[in-house]
Amino acid sequence: MKLSARRVALGDRGSSLVSVLVIMLVLSIGGLALAAIVTNTTSVLSDSRSTAQSRSAADAGLADAVTALRRGTLACPGVLKDVKVDAADAASPTYSYKVACGAGIATITATGTAGSGMTTTQAIYAYTETPAGAGDMVFFGTAEVKFTEEVKTAGMGRLLDIIVPQATFTCQSFIPANFTVGGDIKTSGGCTIKGNVRATGVLNVCCAGDIFEGDVSTSGTGTGRVEGTILGNLHANGALDFGWGNKRVGKSVTTTGNVGLGNVRIDGTLTLPAARTLTMNSGVAAGGISRPPSVSGPTSPTLPPWFEYKYKASDWPGFSVVTLVNSGTGPGTCSYFNSSPGTGWTTLPSYTGATILDARACSTLSSNNGSNPNLAIRTNLVILAKGMDLTTLKVKAASGLPSKPKVWFITEDVTPGDSKPTCGSGYGPIYINGTVTDTSVTAMAYTPCKIDVGGGAGGIDDAWNGAFYGGGWNYGGGLTFTADPIGVPGMSSGGAGGSGSGTLGALVSQRDIPPQVIS
């Protein structure tokens, strides 16, 4: 009996051990399962947070692109890469976007990246491209075009479009414009350009205080020099030499040539071919340095041909024609306008229907006779002459008109068809000197000769509201130019078209697409 009891006790002890082992196994499995659940939940939460942040970053990139297109600070096509949503946070989510235009639409593809998350969204907007040849200020000829600090420009809430198809442009003033230049783009101090710049030559930013706020693209093969600040992207087809003024490039730099960095900071990436020489000096490329086997240069800007205009009365339906003769002194003669007291000018406000003043019989049409004509016009006017001296002429709209009148000062191109401005024998410039076209009218100066700004006659500061289209530019005094779209017959009316820009319309569609890296 004692032996049996002991056996029973030993059997109970064995059962208890098995039970304990089973319980420990169950608890271990449960613990491992719980740990796995916690780990997986943490991972899922982390991925979800990254995805949400990447989506927000993509939306921020889309909004940035839309805003830039509407303001005219983004050319189409265009690319922007690796922008931090929070510039002060080293771990901030980033966005990149690209824009393509054509067939009446602009397609914006924006990718946001945050941690392990990447989201790409794509939006399509209606888009109206400005036809080639349009521009607020267009100057042909091979002589340098320079805006000193005395040339003040404005665009009524938008960027101007300035086109210099055959010459170097030199900036010494604040210019809220996009530029298309068929030569070099240079500064001489005191320069700020708010828009995008596309040039067939090279960039030469001379001075530390000079600022380019948009993107800069130069397709010349020479060496570009950058002493100032570029807030957008810089894409060059030749070597780049950055100065020592402790300045910055706000986005990325891409070039096909050698690069020398002074103490410049590049906020984005620096890309140049592996075979080219990179001299860092004190420079910093915060977004990293890329050295692919080859790098493509920028697409050279499309330069518009000279727009030929030779007068035809049929181009102006509804206009009456008043033709001057070059003899006599009374009404209907050149002297009636050109000689003191310049009575002819004071008759223009009496016209109530659209009128063409054909003064081509005169050697020139001039208000420079001491009369200082001050015209309050009531209708659209065309003033046609071989050359014009508009000294101390003021033009404004009469009060109470239902719409803003327009006035065209036209020197016709006598040899249309040769695709170049022809300032023929006996023809001369449109001379602006103490001349004011008020913002109540829209005025255009069109001439195959020069637009010549003397400036300040009679103590009057020159002011022009409208457009310039000339075979050249000669500057010798102060001018305030305000862009107001207008063109001659057959020409688009200008306004923000020279740098691949246009008008962004309504949203057509928006959707998420498979994540993609913007390149």
Side-chain angles (χ1 to χ4, degrees), residues 21-40:
L21 292 173
V22 170
I23 292 170
M24 291 180 61
L25 179 61
V26 171
L27 291 174
S28 297
I29 293 173
L32 291 171
L34 180 60
I37 291 171
V38 171
T39 301
N40 289 336

Side-chain angles (χ1 to χ4, degrees), residues 207-231:
C207 307
D210 296 330
I211 302 172
F212 287 65
E213 294 190 7
D215 293 338
V216 178
S217 170
T218 57
S219 52
T221 57
T223 299
R225 177 73 177 169
V226 183
E227 295 283 352
T229 297
I230 297 174
L231 297 180

Side-chain angles (χ1 to χ4, degrees), residues 45 240 402:
L45 289 174
L240 290 172

Side-chain angles (χ1 to χ4, degrees), residues 370-394:
S371 62
N372 302 324
N374 191 347
L375 313 181
I377 62 173
R378 300 178 180 275
T379 187
N380 293 338
L381 296 175
V382 176
I383 299 176
L384 182 67
K386 291 179 179 178
M388 301 182 208
D389 183 345
L390 305 180
T391 295
T392 65
L393 174 67
K394 295 182 180 179

